[in-house]
Coordinates of all heavy atoms in Angstrom, one line a residue:
L25 N -40.4 -61.6 49.4 CA -39.1 -61.1 49.9 C -37.9 -61.6 49.1 O -37.0 -60.8 48.8 CB -38.9 -61.6 51.4 CG -37.7 -61.1 52.1 CD1 -37.7 -59.6 52.2 CD2 -37.7 -61.6 53.6
D26 N -38.0 -62.8 48.6 CA -36.9 -63.3 47.8 C -36.8 -62.5 46.5 O -35.7 -62.2 46.0 CB -37.1 -64.8 47.4 CG -36.9 -65.7 48.6 OD1 -36.2 -65.3 49.6 OD2 -37.5 -66.8 48.6
A27 N -37.9 -62.2 45.9 CA -37.9 -61.4 44.7 C -37.4 -60.0 44.9 O -36.7 -59.4 44.1 CB -39.3 -61.3 44.0
L28 N -37.8 -59.4 46.1 CA -37.4 -58.1 46.4 C -35.9 -58.0 46.6 O -35.2 -57.1 46.0 CB -38.1 -57.6 47.7 CG -37.7 -56.2 48.2 CD1 -38.1 -55.1 47.1 CD2 -38.5 -55.9 49.5
V29 N -35.3 -58.9 47.4 CA -33.8 -58.8 47.6 C -33.1 -59.1 46.3 O -32.0 -58.6 46.1 CB -33.4 -59.7 48.8 CG1 -34.0 -59.2 50.1 CG2 -33.7 -61.2 48.6
A30 N -33.6 -60.0 45.5 CA -33.0 -60.3 44.2 C -32.9 -59.0 43.3 O -31.9 -58.7 42.7 CB -33.7 -61.4 43.4
E31 N -34.0 -58.3 43.3 CA -34.1 -57.0 42.5 C -33.2 -56.0 43.1 O -32.5 -55.2 42.3 CB -35.6 -56.5 42.6 CG -35.8 -55.3 41.8 CD -35.7 -55.5 40.3 OE1 -36.0 -56.6 39.8 OE2 -35.4 -54.5 39.5
L32 N -33.0 -55.9 44.4 CA -32.1 -55.0 45.1 C -30.7 -55.4 45.0 O -29.8 -54.6 45.1 CB -32.5 -54.8 46.5 CG -33.9 -54.2 46.8 CD1 -34.2 -54.2 48.3 CD2 -33.9 -52.7 46.3
G33 N -30.5 -56.7 44.8 CA -29.1 -57.2 44.7 C -28.4 -57.3 46.0 O -27.2 -57.1 46.1
I34 N -29.1 -57.6 47.0 CA -28.5 -57.7 48.4 C -29.0 -59.0 49.0 O -29.9 -59.7 48.5 CB -28.9 -56.5 49.3 CG1 -30.4 -56.5 49.5 CG2 -28.4 -55.2 48.8 CD1 -30.9 -55.4 50.5
E35 N -28.3 -59.4 50.0 CA -28.6 -60.7 50.8 C -29.9 -60.5 51.6 O -30.1 -59.4 52.1 CB -27.5 -61.1 51.7 CG -26.2 -61.4 51.0 CD -26.3 -62.7 50.2 OE1 -27.0 -63.7 50.7 OE2 -25.7 -62.8 49.2
K36 N -30.7 -61.6 51.7 CA -31.9 -61.5 52.4 C -31.7 -61.1 53.9 O -32.4 -60.3 54.4 CB -32.6 -62.8 52.3 CG -34.0 -62.8 53.0 CD -34.6 -64.1 53.3 CE -35.1 -64.9 52.0 NZ -35.9 -66.1 52.3
S37 N -30.7 -61.7 54.5 CA -30.4 -61.4 55.9 C -30.0 -60.0 56.1 O -30.4 -59.3 57.1 CB -29.3 -62.4 56.5 OG -28.1 -62.2 55.8
Y38 N -29.3 -59.4 55.2 CA -28.9 -58.0 55.3 C -30.2 -57.1 55.2 O -30.3 -56.2 55.9 CB -27.9 -57.7 54.2 CG -27.5 -56.2 54.2 CD1 -26.7 -55.7 55.2 CD2 -27.8 -55.4 53.1 CE1 -26.3 -54.4 55.2 CE2 -27.3 -54.1 53.1 CZ -26.6 -53.6 54.1 OH -26.2 -52.3 54.1
F39 N -31.0 -57.4 54.2 CA -32.3 -56.6 54.0 C -33.1 -56.7 55.3 O -33.7 -55.7 55.8 CB -33.1 -57.2 52.8 CG -34.4 -56.5 52.7 CD1 -34.5 -55.2 52.2 CD2 -35.6 -57.1 53.2 CE1 -35.7 -54.6 52.1 CE2 -36.8 -56.5 53.1 CZ -36.9 -55.2 52.6
I40 N -33.3 -57.9 55.9 CA -34.1 -58.1 57.1 C -33.5 -57.2 58.2 O -34.3 -56.5 58.9 CB -34.2 -59.6 57.5 CG1 -35.0 -60.3 56.4 CG2 -34.8 -59.7 58.9 CD1 -35.0 -61.8 56.6
R41 N -32.2 -57.2 58.4 CA -31.6 -56.4 59.4 C -31.8 -54.9 59.2 O -32.2 -54.2 60.1 CB -30.1 -56.7 59.5 CG -29.7 -57.9 60.2 CD -28.2 -58.0 60.6 NE -27.3 -57.7 59.5 CZ -26.9 -58.6 58.6 NH1 -27.3 -59.9 58.7 NH2 -26.0 -58.2 57.7
L42 N -31.6 -54.5 57.9 CA -31.9 -53.1 57.6 C -33.4 -52.7 57.8 O -33.7 -51.6 58.4 CB -31.5 -52.8 56.2 CG -30.1 -52.7 55.8 CD1 -29.9 -52.5 54.3 CD2 -29.3 -51.6 56.6
F43 N -34.3 -53.5 57.4 CA -35.7 -53.3 57.5 C -36.0 -53.2 59.0 O -36.7 -52.2 59.4 CB -36.5 -54.4 56.9 CG -38.0 -54.1 56.8 CD1 -38.5 -53.6 55.7 CD2 -38.8 -54.4 57.9 CE1 -39.9 -53.3 55.6 CE2 -40.2 -54.2 57.8 CZ -40.7 -53.6 56.7
K44 N -35.6 -54.1 59.8 CA -35.9 -54.1 61.2 C -35.3 -52.9 61.9 O -36.0 -52.2 62.8 CB -35.4 -55.4 61.9 CG -35.9 -55.5 63.3 CD -35.6 -56.9 63.9 CE -36.2 -57.0 65.3 NZ -36.0 -58.3 65.8
K45 N -34.1 -52.5 61.5 CA -33.5 -51.3 62.1 C -34.3 -50.0 61.8 O -34.5 -49.2 62.6 CB -32.1 -51.2 61.6 CG -31.3 -50.0 62.2 CD -29.9 -50.0 61.8 CE -29.1 -48.8 62.4 NZ -27.7 -48.8 61.9
R46 N -34.8 -50.0 60.5 CA -35.5 -48.8 60.1 C -36.9 -48.7 60.6 O -37.4 -47.7 61.0 CB -35.4 -48.7 58.5 CG -36.2 -47.6 57.9 CD -35.4 -46.3 58.1 NE -36.2 -45.3 57.4 CZ -35.9 -44.0 57.6 NH1 -35.0 -43.6 58.4 NH2 -36.6 -43.2 56.9
V47 N -37.6 -49.9 60.5 CA -39.1 -49.9 60.8 C -39.4 -50.3 62.2 O -40.4 -49.9 62.8 CB -39.8 -50.8 59.8 CG1 -41.3 -50.9 60.1 CG2 -39.5 -50.4 58.3
G48 N -38.5 -51.1 62.8 CA -38.7 -51.5 64.2 C -39.2 -52.9 64.4 O -39.2 -53.4 65.5
V49 N -39.6 -53.5 63.3 CA -40.1 -54.9 63.3 C -39.6 -55.6 62.1 O -39.2 -55.0 61.1 CB -41.6 -55.0 63.4 CG1 -42.1 -54.5 64.8 CG2 -42.3 -54.4 62.3
S50 N -39.6 -56.9 62.1 CA -39.2 -57.7 60.9 C -40.2 -57.5 59.8 O -41.4 -57.1 60.0 CB -39.1 -59.2 61.3 OG -40.4 -59.7 61.5
P51 N -39.8 -57.8 58.6 CA -40.7 -57.7 57.4 C -41.9 -58.6 57.6 O -43.0 -58.2 57.2 CB -39.9 -58.1 56.2 CG -38.5 -57.9 56.6 CD -38.4 -58.1 58.1
M52 N -41.8 -59.7 58.2 CA -42.9 -60.7 58.4 C -43.9 -60.1 59.4 O -45.1 -60.1 59.2 CB -42.4 -62.0 58.9 CG -43.4 -63.0 59.1 SD -44.1 -63.5 57.5 CE -44.3 -65.2 57.7
K53 N -43.4 -59.5 60.5 CA -44.3 -58.9 61.4 C -45.0 -57.7 60.9 O -46.2 -57.4 61.1 CB -43.6 -58.5 62.7 CG -43.3 -59.7 63.6 CD -42.8 -59.3 64.9 CE -42.5 -60.5 65.8 NZ -42.3 -60.2 67.2
Y54 N -44.3 -56.9 60.1 CA -44.9 -55.7 59.4 C -46.0 -56.2 58.5 O -47.1 -55.6 58.5 CB -43.8 -55.0 58.7 CG -44.3 -53.7 58.1 CD1 -44.6 -52.6 58.8 CD2 -44.5 -53.6 56.7 CE1 -45.0 -51.4 58.3 CE2 -45.0 -52.4 56.1 CZ -45.2 -51.3 56.9 OH -45.7 -50.2 56.3
A55 N -45.7 -57.2 57.7 CA -46.7 -57.7 56.7 C -48.0 -58.2 57.5 O -49.1 -58.0 57.1 CB -46.1 -58.8 55.8
M56 N -47.7 -58.9 58.6 CA -48.9 -59.4 59.4 C -49.7 -58.3 60.0 O -50.9 -58.3 60.0 CB -48.4 -60.3 60.5 CG -49.5 -61.0 61.3 SD -50.6 -62.0 60.4 CE -49.5 -63.5 60.1
H57 N -49.0 -57.2 60.4 CA -49.7 -56.1 60.9 C -50.6 -55.4 59.8 O -51.8 -55.1 60.1 CB -48.8 -55.0 61.5 CG -49.4 -53.7 61.9 ND1 -50.2 -53.6 63.0 CD2 -49.5 -52.5 61.3 CE1 -50.7 -52.4 63.1 NE2 -50.3 -51.7 62.0
L58 N -50.1 -55.3 58.6 CA -50.9 -54.8 57.5 C -52.1 -55.7 57.2 O -53.2 -55.2 57.0 CB -50.0 -54.7 56.2 CG -48.9 -53.6 56.3 CD1 -48.1 -53.7 55.0 CD2 -49.4 -52.2 56.5
K59 N -51.9 -57.0 57.2 CA -53.0 -57.9 57.0 C -54.1 -57.8 58.1 O -55.3 -57.7 57.8 CB -52.5 -59.4 57.0 CG -51.9 -59.9 55.8 CD -51.5 -61.3 56.1 CE -51.2 -62.0 54.8 NZ -51.0 -63.5 55.0
M60 N -53.7 -57.7 59.3 CA -54.6 -57.6 60.4 C -55.3 -56.2 60.4 O -56.5 -56.2 60.7 CB -53.9 -57.8 61.8 CG -53.4 -59.2 62.0 SD -54.6 -60.5 61.9 CE -54.4 -61.2 60.3
S61 N -54.6 -55.2 60.1 CA -55.3 -53.9 60.0 C -56.3 -53.9 58.9 O -57.4 -53.3 59.1 CB -54.2 -52.8 59.7 OG -53.4 -52.6 60.7
A62 N -56.0 -54.5 57.7 CA -57.0 -54.6 56.7 C -58.2 -55.5 57.1 O -59.3 -55.1 56.8 CB -56.4 -55.2 55.4
A63 N -57.9 -56.5 57.8 CA -59.0 -57.4 58.3 C -59.9 -56.6 59.3 O -61.1 -56.7 59.3 CB -58.4 -58.6 59.0
A64 N -59.3 -55.8 60.2 CA -60.1 -55.0 61.1 C -61.0 -54.0 60.4 O -62.1 -53.9 60.8 CB -59.1 -54.3 62.1
D65 N -60.5 -53.4 59.3 CA -61.3 -52.5 58.5 C -62.5 -53.3 57.9 O -63.6 -52.8 57.9 CB -60.5 -51.9 57.4 CG -59.5 -50.8 57.9 OD1 -59.6 -50.4 59.1 OD2 -58.6 -50.5 57.1
L66 N -62.2 -54.5 57.4 CA -63.3 -55.3 56.8 C -64.3 -55.7 57.8 O -65.5 -55.7 57.5 CB -62.7 -56.5 56.1 CG -61.9 -56.2 54.8 CD1 -61.1 -57.4 54.4 CD2 -62.8 -55.7 53.7
L67 N -63.8 -56.0 59.0 CA -64.8 -56.5 60.0 C -65.6 -55.3 60.5 O -66.8 -55.5 60.8 CB -64.0 -57.1 61.2 CG -63.3 -58.5 60.9 CD1 -62.4 -58.8 62.0 CD2 -64.4 -59.5 60.7
R68 N -65.1 -54.2 60.6 CA -65.8 -53.0 61.1 C -66.8 -52.6 60.1 O -67.9 -52.1 60.4 CB -64.9 -51.8 61.4 CG -64.3 -51.8 62.8 CD -63.7 -50.5 63.1 NE -62.6 -50.1 62.1 CZ -61.3 -50.4 62.3 NH1 -60.9 -51.1 63.3 NH2 -60.4 -50.0 61.4

């Protein structure tokens, strides 16, 4: 996340607010969902 906001040239808190507004969850929760979805695929 730090590298992403540095590349975008915006504040981390601003990015998190925008991401949550657009996606509906925080970047951390979104990343965790992706990890768990991948794990579910591997387990199945």
Side-chain angles (χ1 to χ4, degrees):
L25 186 57
D26 291 336
L28 179 61
V29 296
E31 183 70 26
L32 295 171
I34 61 175
E35 294 292 323
K36 186 193 291 190
S37 59
Y38 180 65
F39 175 80
I40 291 170
R41 281 194 310 274
L42 288 177
F43 188 95
K44 190 170 184 178
K45 183 177 181 181
R46 178 73 176 166
V47 179
V49 294
S50 70
M52 183 69 139
K53 285 190 178 192
Y54 184 76
M56 183 62 73
H57 174 74
L58 293 177
K59 283 180 160 186
M60 295 297 105
S61 293
D65 289 345
L66 290 168
L67 291 169
R68 275 193 302 270

